[in-house]
Amino acid sequence: MAYQDTLKERNEIVLATAGKDGNPHAIIVISLGLMEEKKLLIGACLMQKSLKNIGENNNVCIVTKDNNK
């Protein structure tokens, strides 16, 4: 399965970030799909901590799941 399939619109994914202190922060976000097959769009609701962390450290991790399995 290609990663594009798991990032289809309305799928839940986990977004993990870490600030400059290295403390991890993971939340569930909703995928709004891919732009140009490489830019992930996510709903930015209640993401203050994640956005702060991304400003301090732009390394992130996303975890997807196959909703059919």
Side-chain angles (χ1 to χ4, degrees), residues 8 18 20 22 26 28-30 39-40 54-55 69:
K8 288 181 181 172
K20 62 182 173 187
I28 294 175
V29 296
I30 301 297
K39 297 176 185 174
L40 175 63
I54 292 169
K69 296 182 181 178

Side-chain angles (χ1 to χ4, degrees), residues 17-20 49-59:
T17 62
K20 62 182 173 187
K49 179 69 173 173
S50 296
L51 291 172
K52 179 179 181 284
N53 285 351
I54 292 169
E56 295 174 356
N57 174 6
N58 64 1
N59 293 308

Side-chain angles (χ1 to χ4, degrees), residues 39-51:
K39 297 176 185 174
L40 175 63
L41 300 175
I42 59 173
C45 181
L46 301 173
M47 289 184 52
Q48 292 85 7
K49 179 69 173 173
S50 296
L51 291 172

